Amino acid sequence: MDYKIAIIPGDGIGPEVMEQAIRVLDRVGVRFGHRFTYETALAGGCAIDQVGTCLPAETIDICKAADAVLLAAIGGWQWDTLPGDQRPERAILGLRKEFELFANLRPAILFEELIDACPLRPEIIAGGLDIVVVRELTGGIYFGERGYKETELGRAAYDVEQYATGEVERIARVAFDMAMKRSKQVTSVDKANVLESSRLWREVVTEVAKEYPEVTLKHLYIDNAAMQMVSNPRQFDVILTSNLFGDILSDEASMITGSIGMLPSASLTTGSFGLYEPVHGSAPDIAGQDKANPMAMILSVAMMLRYTFGLLEEADAVEAAVQSVLRAGYRTGDLGGGGAGTTLIGTQEAGRLIAEAI
Ligand code: IPM
Ligand code: MG
C-alpha cells in the first residue's frame, strides 16, 4: 500500500527528532512492504521567519492532500515576544481547528525499563502505569472569545471557557469507546464545584455514560485529579477532560512515566485522518546538539500506523523496538542515560537503534 504523509518538522529539536521518526518509518516500509511518501511543510517559528506567517496556506494544502500529518515541535524564545495572535503556537491551534481534530489521545505508559526514571516512590507505581488522557482539543478556553477591556482596577484581559453539548458528547464517546477496549473505566475531570461550563460537561458525560452500561464512570475535580495523579496514579485508566485541563494533566501524567520525552499523541477527527505529535515542546536549549529524545516522536509514528492506517502489527513492531532498545540499557539524557547500567545515546543513535530493532 501507498501512504501519503505530511511532515512538519517545525522548530528547535523538531527537525532532528523528525529525521529519526522518518528513518524508523522507512524501515517499517521495507520490513512490511509499504510505501510511505513524504511532503514536507512549513509551520511555526521557521515559517514566520521564511514566509512571514506561522501557518502558510500551502501547509494546509499539503496536509489536506495527505492521509496523515506528523508534526514534531513548534515555538522558541526567538518568537516569545510576538503578540499573541502572531505566536508560532497559533500554527498548532490552526491545524487542530482546520481539520477539526477534536479528540486528542495521550497515552502515558510507564515502561518497566524506565521505573528508575519515574520520580514517584516504587510502591506508588508497583505494577506499572497505563493511562490514556482523552483531551478535548478544539473547544474550551483555547478557542473561546478573548480580548481586553477596561475595569476599575485597570486594563483586564479575558479568555472565555465555553462548551456546547455536542462538543462534550463527541469527546465523551471517544473516551467511552476507548474504555470499552481497555478496563472499562472512565474518570471525567472537571471543576463542576465552581464552573458552569464544567457543570454542563458533567451532565453531558453522565448522559453519554448511559449508552455504555459496562463502563464505570467516576467524576473528579481537576485539583483533586492533579493530586491523585501523584499519590495514587494506578487508579486511572481513561481520563476524559477539557482542552485546558487535559493540557495540564497530560504533562503531569507524562512526567510520572519517566520523561515527557516518551509521550506521543494522536489528534483525531471523525474518519481516519489524524495529526500525530509528541507531547513535548521544541526544547530550544538542546536543539541541534543531538541530545533530544526522539522516542515520543517515534511512538507518535506508531500511533499513526495504528489509528490512521490500521497497520496494527506495524505499530506494535515500532513500540516493541523502542522497548527493546530501552531493555538493552540505552538511554537519552532525559532518561538518565550514562547512569548505572545504562549507555548514554544521542538522538541519531536512538533512531538508528530503534530502526535496526524493527
Ligand atoms: C500541547 C502544547 C500546546 C497546547 C501548545 C504548544 C499550544 O502544550 O500540545 O500540549 O497547549 O495544546
Ligand atoms: Mg501541553
Short mmCIF file of all heavy atoms in Angstrom, two decimals, residues 90-155:
data_model
loop_
_atom_site.label_atom_id
_atom_site.label_comp_id
_atom_site.label_asym_id
_atom_site.label_seq_id
_atom_site.Cartn_x
_atom_site.Cartn_y
_atom_site.Cartn_z
N ARG A 90 0.23 29.39 17.32
CA ARG A 90 -1.03 29.54 16.59
C ARG A 90 -1.12 28.53 15.44
O ARG A 90 -2.20 28.18 15.00
CB ARG A 90 -1.18 30.96 15.99
CG ARG A 90 -1.12 32.10 16.95
CD ARG A 90 -2.29 32.15 17.92
NE ARG A 90 -3.60 32.11 17.27
CZ ARG A 90 -4.73 31.95 17.92
NH1 ARG A 90 -4.72 31.81 19.23
NH2 ARG A 90 -5.87 31.92 17.28
N ALA A 91 0.03 28.09 14.97
CA ALA A 91 0.03 27.12 13.86
C ALA A 91 -0.59 25.80 14.31
O ALA A 91 -1.39 25.19 13.59
CB ALA A 91 1.46 26.89 13.35
N ILE A 92 -0.23 25.36 15.50
CA ILE A 92 -0.79 24.09 16.01
C ILE A 92 -2.29 24.24 16.21
O ILE A 92 -3.08 23.39 15.81
CB ILE A 92 -0.15 23.70 17.36
CG1 ILE A 92 1.36 23.58 17.24
CG2 ILE A 92 -0.76 22.40 17.88
CD1 ILE A 92 2.02 22.97 18.46
N LEU A 93 -2.66 25.35 16.84
CA LEU A 93 -4.08 25.57 17.10
C LEU A 93 -4.84 25.68 15.78
O LEU A 93 -5.94 25.15 15.64
CB LEU A 93 -4.27 26.84 17.95
CG LEU A 93 -3.55 26.80 19.31
CD1 LEU A 93 -3.74 28.11 20.07
CD2 LEU A 93 -4.01 25.64 20.16
N GLY A 94 -4.23 26.34 14.80
CA GLY A 94 -4.87 26.50 13.49
C GLY A 94 -5.07 25.15 12.80
O GLY A 94 -6.13 24.89 12.21
N LEU A 95 -4.09 24.28 12.90
CA LEU A 95 -4.21 22.95 12.28
C LEU A 95 -5.29 22.14 12.99
O LEU A 95 -6.10 21.47 12.36
CB LEU A 95 -2.88 22.20 12.35
CG LEU A 95 -1.81 22.67 11.36
CD1 LEU A 95 -0.44 22.10 11.73
CD2 LEU A 95 -2.17 22.27 9.93
N ARG A 96 -5.30 22.21 14.33
CA ARG A 96 -6.31 21.45 15.08
C ARG A 96 -7.71 21.88 14.66
O ARG A 96 -8.60 21.06 14.48
CB ARG A 96 -6.12 21.66 16.58
CG ARG A 96 -4.86 21.00 17.12
CD ARG A 96 -4.61 21.35 18.59
NE ARG A 96 -3.39 20.72 19.08
CZ ARG A 96 -2.80 21.02 20.23
NH1 ARG A 96 -3.31 21.95 21.02
NH2 ARG A 96 -1.70 20.39 20.60
N LYS A 97 -7.88 23.21 14.51
CA LYS A 97 -9.20 23.74 14.17
C LYS A 97 -9.56 23.45 12.72
O LYS A 97 -10.67 23.01 12.42
CB LYS A 97 -9.20 25.26 14.44
CG LYS A 97 -10.57 25.85 14.62
CD LYS A 97 -11.22 25.37 15.92
CE LYS A 97 -12.60 25.96 16.11
NZ LYS A 97 -13.28 25.39 17.30
N GLU A 98 -8.61 23.69 11.82
CA GLU A 98 -8.84 23.49 10.39
C GLU A 98 -9.33 22.07 10.08
O GLU A 98 -10.24 21.88 9.28
CB GLU A 98 -7.54 23.77 9.62
CG GLU A 98 -7.57 23.46 8.13
CD GLU A 98 -8.41 24.46 7.34
OE1 GLU A 98 -8.46 25.64 7.73
OE2 GLU A 98 -9.01 24.04 6.31
N PHE A 99 -8.73 21.10 10.74
CA PHE A 99 -9.09 19.71 10.45
C PHE A 99 -10.03 19.12 11.50
O PHE A 99 -10.25 17.92 11.53
CB PHE A 99 -7.82 18.86 10.29
CG PHE A 99 -7.02 19.25 9.08
CD1 PHE A 99 -5.94 20.13 9.19
CD2 PHE A 99 -7.37 18.80 7.82
CE1 PHE A 99 -5.22 20.53 8.07
CE2 PHE A 99 -6.66 19.19 6.70
CZ PHE A 99 -5.59 20.07 6.82
N GLU A 100 -10.56 19.97 12.36
CA GLU A 100 -11.49 19.56 13.42
C GLU A 100 -10.98 18.35 14.19
O GLU A 100 -11.70 17.35 14.39
CB GLU A 100 -12.88 19.30 12.85
CG GLU A 100 -13.91 20.13 13.59
CD GLU A 100 -15.33 19.81 13.15
OE1 GLU A 100 -15.60 19.88 11.94
OE2 GLU A 100 -16.13 19.50 14.05
N LEU A 101 -9.75 18.47 14.64
CA LEU A 101 -9.11 17.37 15.38
C LEU A 101 -9.53 17.48 16.84
O LEU A 101 -8.76 17.91 17.70
CB LEU A 101 -7.59 17.48 15.22
CG LEU A 101 -7.12 17.49 13.76
CD1 LEU A 101 -5.66 17.92 13.66
CD2 LEU A 101 -7.31 16.11 13.14
N PHE A 102 -10.77 17.11 17.11
CA PHE A 102 -11.32 17.38 18.45
C PHE A 102 -10.89 16.36 19.51
O PHE A 102 -11.05 16.61 20.69
CB PHE A 102 -12.85 17.45 18.38
CG PHE A 102 -13.51 16.13 18.04
CD1 PHE A 102 -13.86 15.25 19.04
CD2 PHE A 102 -13.76 15.78 16.73
CE1 PHE A 102 -14.46 14.04 18.74
CE2 PHE A 102 -14.36 14.57 16.41
CZ PHE A 102 -14.71 13.70 17.41
N ALA A 103 -10.37 15.23 19.07
CA ALA A 103 -10.03 14.18 20.04
C ALA A 103 -8.53 13.97 20.14
O ALA A 103 -7.88 13.54 19.18
CB ALA A 103 -10.70 12.88 19.64
N ASN A 104 -7.98 14.29 21.27
CA ASN A 104 -6.54 14.16 21.48
C ASN A 104 -6.27 13.00 22.45
O ASN A 104 -6.73 13.03 23.58
CB ASN A 104 -6.02 15.48 22.05
CG ASN A 104 -4.51 15.55 22.17
OD1 ASN A 104 -3.98 16.12 23.11
ND2 ASN A 104 -3.81 14.99 21.22
N LEU A 105 -5.56 12.00 21.96
CA LEU A 105 -5.26 10.84 22.80
C LEU A 105 -3.80 10.91 23.24
O LEU A 105 -2.90 11.02 22.40
CB LEU A 105 -5.46 9.54 22.01
CG LEU A 105 -6.77 9.38 21.23
CD1 LEU A 105 -6.80 8.00 20.57
CD2 LEU A 105 -7.96 9.58 22.13
N ARG A 106 -3.60 10.86 24.54
CA ARG A 106 -2.23 10.94 25.07
C ARG A 106 -1.98 9.78 26.02
O ARG A 106 -2.25 9.86 27.21
CB ARG A 106 -2.02 12.28 25.77
CG ARG A 106 -2.23 13.44 24.81
CD ARG A 106 -1.84 14.77 25.38
NE ARG A 106 -1.58 15.69 24.28
CZ ARG A 106 -1.14 16.93 24.41
NH1 ARG A 106 -0.90 17.41 25.61
NH2 ARG A 106 -0.94 17.68 23.36
N PRO A 107 -1.45 8.69 25.50
CA PRO A 107 -1.20 7.53 26.35
C PRO A 107 0.05 7.76 27.19
O PRO A 107 1.09 8.15 26.68
CB PRO A 107 -0.97 6.39 25.35
CG PRO A 107 -0.60 7.06 24.07
CD PRO A 107 -1.07 8.47 24.10
N ALA A 108 -0.07 7.54 28.48
CA ALA A 108 1.08 7.64 29.38
C ALA A 108 1.34 6.25 29.95
O ALA A 108 0.59 5.78 30.80
CB ALA A 108 0.80 8.65 30.49
N ILE A 109 2.36 5.63 29.41
CA ILE A 109 2.68 4.26 29.83
C ILE A 109 4.05 4.26 30.47
O ILE A 109 5.00 4.82 29.93
CB ILE A 109 2.68 3.32 28.60
CG1 ILE A 109 1.28 3.31 27.97
CG2 ILE A 109 3.12 1.92 28.97
CD1 ILE A 109 1.23 2.72 26.59
N LEU A 110 4.12 3.66 31.64
CA LEU A 110 5.42 3.54 32.30
C LEU A 110 6.07 2.25 31.84
O LEU A 110 5.66 1.17 32.23
CB LEU A 110 5.26 3.56 33.82
CG LEU A 110 6.54 3.39 34.65
CD1 LEU A 110 7.56 4.47 34.32
CD2 LEU A 110 6.24 3.41 36.14
N PHE A 111 7.07 2.38 30.97
CA PHE A 111 7.79 1.18 30.54
C PHE A 111 8.54 0.63 31.75
O PHE A 111 9.18 1.37 32.47
CB PHE A 111 8.79 1.53 29.42
CG PHE A 111 8.15 1.84 28.10
CD1 PHE A 111 7.79 3.14 27.76
CD2 PHE A 111 7.93 0.83 27.18
CE1 PHE A 111 7.20 3.42 26.53
CE2 PHE A 111 7.35 1.11 25.94
CZ PHE A 111 6.99 2.41 25.62
N GLU A 112 8.41 -0.68 31.92
CA GLU A 112 9.10 -1.38 33.00
C GLU A 112 10.56 -0.95 33.13
O GLU A 112 11.08 -0.75 34.22
CB GLU A 112 9.12 -2.85 32.58
CG GLU A 112 8.66 -3.88 33.56
CD GLU A 112 8.73 -5.20 32.83
OE1 GLU A 112 7.78 -5.48 32.06
OE2 GLU A 112 9.76 -5.90 32.97
N GLU A 113 11.19 -0.78 31.95
CA GLU A 113 12.61 -0.47 31.91
C GLU A 113 12.91 0.92 32.48
O GLU A 113 14.05 1.25 32.77
CB GLU A 113 13.13 -0.53 30.46
CG GLU A 113 13.09 -1.91 29.83
CD GLU A 113 11.68 -2.35 29.40
OE1 GLU A 113 10.76 -1.52 29.37
OE2 GLU A 113 11.52 -3.54 29.11
N LEU A 114 11.85 1.77 32.59
CA LEU A 114 12.09 3.16 33.00
C LEU A 114 11.62 3.45 34.42
O LEU A 114 11.53 4.61 34.83
CB LEU A 114 11.39 4.12 32.03
CG LEU A 114 11.97 4.15 30.62
CD1 LEU A 114 11.23 5.17 29.78
CD2 LEU A 114 13.46 4.47 30.65
N ILE A 115 11.36 2.40 35.16
CA ILE A 115 10.85 2.59 36.52
C ILE A 115 11.76 3.51 37.33
O ILE A 115 11.30 4.34 38.11
CB ILE A 115 10.64 1.21 37.20
CG1 ILE A 115 9.38 0.62 36.56
CG2 ILE A 115 10.55 1.31 38.72
CD1 ILE A 115 8.62 -0.38 37.33
N ASP A 116 13.06 3.43 37.08
CA ASP A 116 14.00 4.27 37.82
C ASP A 116 13.90 5.74 37.44
O ASP A 116 14.30 6.62 38.20
CB ASP A 116 15.44 3.80 37.58
CG ASP A 116 15.70 2.49 38.29
OD1 ASP A 116 14.89 2.12 39.16
OD2 ASP A 116 16.71 1.82 37.96
N ALA A 117 13.38 6.01 36.25
CA ALA A 117 13.27 7.41 35.82
C ALA A 117 12.00 8.06 36.35
O ALA A 117 11.82 9.27 36.27
CB ALA A 117 13.28 7.49 34.29
N CYS A 118 11.12 7.26 36.94
CA CYS A 118 9.87 7.81 37.49
C CYS A 118 10.15 8.48 38.81
O CYS A 118 10.77 7.91 39.69
CB CYS A 118 8.86 6.66 37.68
SG CYS A 118 7.38 7.19 38.55
N PRO A 119 9.70 9.73 38.97
CA PRO A 119 10.01 10.46 40.20
C PRO A 119 9.19 10.00 41.42
O PRO A 119 9.45 10.45 42.53
CB PRO A 119 9.68 11.92 39.85
CG PRO A 119 8.71 11.84 38.73
CD PRO A 119 8.99 10.57 37.99
N LEU A 120 8.23 9.10 41.22
CA LEU A 120 7.43 8.63 42.35
C LEU A 120 8.09 7.42 43.03
O LEU A 120 8.83 6.69 42.40
CB LEU A 120 6.02 8.24 41.88
CG LEU A 120 5.20 9.36 41.22
CD1 LEU A 120 3.84 8.82 40.81
CD2 LEU A 120 5.06 10.55 42.13
N ARG A 121 7.76 7.24 44.31
CA ARG A 121 8.31 6.10 45.04
C ARG A 121 7.84 4.78 44.43
O ARG A 121 6.70 4.68 43.98
CB ARG A 121 7.87 6.15 46.50
CG ARG A 121 8.61 7.17 47.36
CD ARG A 121 8.47 6.82 48.84
NE ARG A 121 7.10 6.53 49.23
CZ ARG A 121 6.22 7.45 49.60
NH1 ARG A 121 6.55 8.72 49.61
NH2 ARG A 121 4.98 7.11 49.93
N PRO A 122 8.70 3.76 44.42
CA PRO A 122 8.37 2.49 43.76
C PRO A 122 7.04 1.89 44.22
O PRO A 122 6.31 1.33 43.40
CB PRO A 122 9.53 1.57 44.14
CG PRO A 122 10.63 2.46 44.59
CD PRO A 122 10.05 3.76 45.00
N GLU A 123 6.69 2.01 45.51
CA GLU A 123 5.45 1.36 45.96
C GLU A 123 4.22 2.04 45.37
O GLU A 123 3.15 1.43 45.24
CB GLU A 123 5.36 1.28 47.50
CG GLU A 123 5.29 2.60 48.24
CD GLU A 123 6.68 3.13 48.65
OE1 GLU A 123 7.68 2.82 47.97
OE2 GLU A 123 6.74 3.89 49.64
N ILE A 124 4.34 3.31 44.96
CA ILE A 124 3.19 4.02 44.39
C ILE A 124 2.89 3.52 42.97
O ILE A 124 1.76 3.53 42.51
CB ILE A 124 3.44 5.55 44.38
CG1 ILE A 124 3.59 6.05 45.83
CG2 ILE A 124 2.31 6.31 43.68
CD1 ILE A 124 3.87 7.53 45.95
N ILE A 125 3.94 3.09 42.28
CA ILE A 125 3.77 2.70 40.87
C ILE A 125 3.93 1.20 40.66
O ILE A 125 3.97 0.72 39.53
CB ILE A 125 4.76 3.45 39.97
CG1 ILE A 125 6.16 3.40 40.60
CG2 ILE A 125 4.31 4.87 39.76
CD1 ILE A 125 7.25 3.58 39.63
N ALA A 126 4.00 0.44 41.79
CA ALA A 126 4.19 -1.00 41.67
C ALA A 126 3.12 -1.59 40.75
O ALA A 126 1.93 -1.34 40.92
CB ALA A 126 4.11 -1.65 43.05
N GLY A 127 3.56 -2.37 39.76
CA GLY A 127 2.62 -2.97 38.81
C GLY A 127 2.51 -2.14 37.54
O GLY A 127 1.84 -2.54 36.60
N GLY A 128 3.14 -0.98 37.52
CA GLY A 128 3.18 -0.17 36.29
C GLY A 128 2.01 0.79 36.13
O GLY A 128 1.08 0.80 36.94
N LEU A 129 2.10 1.62 35.10
CA LEU A 129 1.07 2.61 34.82
C LEU A 129 0.68 2.52 33.36
O LEU A 129 1.53 2.36 32.49
CB LEU A 129 1.61 4.03 35.05
CG LEU A 129 1.94 4.45 36.48
CD1 LEU A 129 2.64 5.80 36.45
CD2 LEU A 129 0.66 4.53 37.30
N ASP A 130 -0.60 2.63 33.08
CA ASP A 130 -1.07 2.63 31.71
C ASP A 130 -2.33 3.49 31.67
O ASP A 130 -3.44 3.03 31.90
CB ASP A 130 -1.36 1.19 31.26
CG ASP A 130 -1.75 1.13 29.79
OD1 ASP A 130 -1.90 2.20 29.16
OD2 ASP A 130 -1.90 0.01 29.27
N ILE A 131 -2.09 4.78 31.40
CA ILE A 131 -3.18 5.77 31.45
C ILE A 131 -3.33 6.36 30.05
O ILE A 131 -2.34 6.51 29.34
CB ILE A 131 -2.80 6.92 32.41
CG1 ILE A 131 -2.57 6.37 33.84
CG2 ILE A 131 -3.85 8.03 32.43
CD1 ILE A 131 -1.96 7.39 34.79
N VAL A 132 -4.55 6.66 29.64
CA VAL A 132 -4.67 7.46 28.43
C VAL A 132 -5.54 8.68 28.71
O VAL A 132 -6.64 8.56 29.25
CB VAL A 132 -5.15 6.64 27.19
CG1 VAL A 132 -6.42 5.92 27.47
CG2 VAL A 132 -5.33 7.54 25.97
N VAL A 133 -4.95 9.84 28.45
CA VAL A 133 -5.70 11.07 28.62
C VAL A 133 -6.43 11.36 27.31
O VAL A 133 -5.79 11.45 26.25
CB VAL A 133 -4.77 12.25 28.99
CG1 VAL A 133 -5.57 13.55 29.13
CG2 VAL A 133 -4.00 11.96 30.28
N VAL A 134 -7.75 11.47 27.37
CA VAL A 134 -8.55 11.84 26.21
C VAL A 134 -8.93 13.30 26.40
O VAL A 134 -9.77 13.64 27.22
CB VAL A 134 -9.80 10.95 26.08
CG1 VAL A 134 -10.66 11.40 24.91
CG2 VAL A 134 -9.41 9.49 25.92
N ARG A 135 -8.24 14.15 25.66
CA ARG A 135 -8.37 15.59 25.83
C ARG A 135 -9.19 16.20 24.70
O ARG A 135 -8.88 15.97 23.53
CB ARG A 135 -6.95 16.18 25.85
CG ARG A 135 -6.90 17.69 25.78
CD ARG A 135 -5.45 18.16 25.59
NE ARG A 135 -5.39 19.61 25.48
CZ ARG A 135 -4.34 20.31 25.05
NH1 ARG A 135 -3.23 19.68 24.69
NH2 ARG A 135 -4.38 21.62 24.96
N GLU A 136 -10.19 17.00 25.05
CA GLU A 136 -10.95 17.74 24.03
C GLU A 136 -9.99 18.76 23.44
O GLU A 136 -9.25 19.42 24.17
CB GLU A 136 -12.16 18.43 24.69
CG GLU A 136 -13.26 18.84 23.72
CD GLU A 136 -12.89 19.96 22.78
OE1 GLU A 136 -12.14 20.87 23.19
OE2 GLU A 136 -13.33 19.95 21.64
N LEU A 137 -9.97 18.90 22.12
CA LEU A 137 -8.87 19.68 21.53
C LEU A 137 -9.27 20.89 20.68
O LEU A 137 -8.42 21.66 20.26
CB LEU A 137 -7.98 18.74 20.71
CG LEU A 137 -6.54 19.16 20.48
CD1 LEU A 137 -5.77 19.31 21.78
CD2 LEU A 137 -5.81 18.19 19.56
N THR A 138 -10.54 21.05 20.40
CA THR A 138 -10.89 22.18 19.51
C THR A 138 -11.90 23.13 20.14
O THR A 138 -12.51 23.93 19.46
CB THR A 138 -11.46 21.66 18.17
OG1 THR A 138 -12.48 20.70 18.47
CG2 THR A 138 -10.40 21.06 17.30
N GLY A 139 -12.08 23.00 21.47
CA GLY A 139 -13.03 23.90 22.12
C GLY A 139 -12.48 24.47 23.40
O GLY A 139 -11.27 24.52 23.62
N GLY A 140 -13.38 24.90 24.26
CA GLY A 140 -12.98 25.44 25.56
C GLY A 140 -12.25 26.76 25.46
O GLY A 140 -12.34 27.48 24.47
N ILE A 141 -11.50 27.04 26.49
CA ILE A 141 -10.84 28.34 26.63
C ILE A 141 -9.79 28.60 25.54
O ILE A 141 -9.45 29.75 25.25
CB ILE A 141 -10.22 28.43 28.05
CG1 ILE A 141 -9.98 29.87 28.47
CG2 ILE A 141 -8.98 27.58 28.16
CD1 ILE A 141 -9.70 30.01 29.96
N TYR A 142 -9.29 27.54 24.93
CA TYR A 142 -8.30 27.71 23.86
C TYR A 142 -8.90 28.43 22.65
O TYR A 142 -8.19 29.08 21.89
CB TYR A 142 -7.78 26.35 23.39
CG TYR A 142 -6.58 25.84 24.15
CD1 TYR A 142 -6.65 25.64 25.53
CD2 TYR A 142 -5.39 25.54 23.50
CE1 TYR A 142 -5.56 25.16 26.23
CE2 TYR A 142 -4.30 25.06 24.20
CZ TYR A 142 -4.39 24.87 25.55
OH TYR A 142 -3.31 24.39 26.24
N PHE A 143 -10.20 28.22 22.45
CA PHE A 143 -10.82 28.78 21.25
C PHE A 143 -11.97 29.72 21.55
O PHE A 143 -12.64 30.20 20.65
CB PHE A 143 -11.28 27.64 20.32
CG PHE A 143 -10.13 26.85 19.74
CD1 PHE A 143 -9.71 25.68 20.34
CD2 PHE A 143 -9.46 27.32 18.62
CE1 PHE A 143 -8.64 24.97 19.83
CE2 PHE A 143 -8.38 26.61 18.10
CZ PHE A 143 -7.97 25.43 18.71
N GLY A 144 -12.22 29.99 22.84
CA GLY A 144 -13.30 30.89 23.21
C GLY A 144 -12.96 32.34 22.90
O GLY A 144 -11.82 32.66 22.53
N GLU A 145 -13.95 33.18 23.07
CA GLU A 145 -13.73 34.61 22.84
C GLU A 145 -12.65 35.11 23.78
O GLU A 145 -12.58 34.71 24.94
CB GLU A 145 -15.06 35.32 23.13
CG GLU A 145 -15.05 36.78 22.74
CD GLU A 145 -16.24 37.51 23.39
OE1 GLU A 145 -17.30 36.89 23.57
OE2 GLU A 145 -16.05 38.70 23.71
N ARG A 146 -11.78 35.98 23.29
CA ARG A 146 -10.77 36.56 24.16
C ARG A 146 -10.58 38.02 23.83
O ARG A 146 -10.93 38.47 22.73
CB ARG A 146 -9.46 35.79 24.11
CG ARG A 146 -8.73 35.84 22.77
CD ARG A 146 -7.45 35.01 22.79
NE ARG A 146 -7.66 33.64 22.31
CZ ARG A 146 -7.61 32.55 23.05
NH1 ARG A 146 -7.37 32.62 24.34
NH2 ARG A 146 -7.81 31.37 22.51
N GLY A 147 -10.07 38.76 24.76
CA GLY A 147 -9.85 40.17 24.46
C GLY A 147 -9.47 40.97 25.68
O GLY A 147 -9.10 40.42 26.73
N TYR A 148 -9.55 42.29 25.53
CA TYR A 148 -9.19 43.22 26.60
C TYR A 148 -10.37 44.14 26.86
O TYR A 148 -11.16 44.43 25.98
CB TYR A 148 -7.99 44.06 26.17
CG TYR A 148 -6.69 43.31 26.22
CD1 TYR A 148 -6.24 42.56 25.14
CD2 TYR A 148 -5.90 43.35 27.37
CE1 TYR A 148 -5.05 41.86 25.20
CE2 TYR A 148 -4.71 42.66 27.44
CZ TYR A 148 -4.28 41.91 26.35
OH TYR A 148 -3.10 41.22 26.41
N LYS A 149 -10.47 44.60 28.11
CA LYS A 149 -11.45 45.65 28.40
C LYS A 149 -10.95 46.46 29.58
O LYS A 149 -10.06 46.02 30.31
CB LYS A 149 -12.82 45.03 28.70
CG LYS A 149 -12.87 44.11 29.88
CD LYS A 149 -14.29 43.56 30.04
CE LYS A 149 -14.32 42.51 31.15
NZ LYS A 149 -15.56 41.74 31.16
N GLU A 150 -11.54 47.64 29.75
CA GLU A 150 -11.14 48.49 30.87
C GLU A 150 -11.96 48.13 32.10
O GLU A 150 -13.16 47.87 32.00
CB GLU A 150 -11.35 49.97 30.50
CG GLU A 150 -10.33 50.53 29.53
CD GLU A 150 -8.87 50.30 29.96
OE1 GLU A 150 -8.57 50.37 31.17
OE2 GLU A 150 -8.04 50.03 29.06
N THR A 151 -11.32 48.10 33.26
CA THR A 151 -12.05 47.89 34.51
C THR A 151 -11.57 48.92 35.52
O THR A 151 -10.58 49.63 35.27
CB THR A 151 -11.81 46.49 35.10
OG1 THR A 151 -10.48 46.45 35.63
CG2 THR A 151 -11.99 45.40 34.06
N GLU A 152 -12.21 48.96 36.68
CA GLU A 152 -11.80 49.90 37.73
C GLU A 152 -10.38 49.65 38.18
O GLU A 152 -9.69 50.55 38.64
CB GLU A 152 -12.73 49.75 38.94
CG GLU A 152 -13.96 50.62 38.85
CD GLU A 152 -14.97 50.25 39.93
OE1 GLU A 152 -14.55 49.74 41.00
OE2 GLU A 152 -16.17 50.44 39.68
N LEU A 153 -9.95 48.41 38.10
CA LEU A 153 -8.59 48.08 38.54
C LEU A 153 -7.60 48.11 37.38
O LEU A 153 -6.50 47.57 37.46
CB LEU A 153 -8.58 46.71 39.21
CG LEU A 153 -9.27 46.67 40.58
CD1 LEU A 153 -9.36 45.25 41.10
CD2 LEU A 153 -8.53 47.54 41.60
N GLY A 154 -8.02 48.71 36.28
CA GLY A 154 -7.12 48.84 35.13
C GLY A 154 -7.53 47.93 33.99
O GLY A 154 -8.60 47.32 34.00
N ARG A 155 -6.64 47.86 32.99
CA ARG A 155 -6.93 47.06 31.80
C ARG A 155 -7.03 45.59 32.19
O ARG A 155 -6.19 45.09 32.94
CB ARG A 155 -5.79 47.26 30.82
CG ARG A 155 -6.11 46.93 29.38
CD ARG A 155 -5.07 47.54 28.48
NE ARG A 155 -3.80 46.85 28.63
CZ ARG A 155 -3.31 45.97 27.76
NH1 ARG A 155 -3.97 45.71 26.65
NH2 ARG A 155 -2.16 45.38 27.96
#
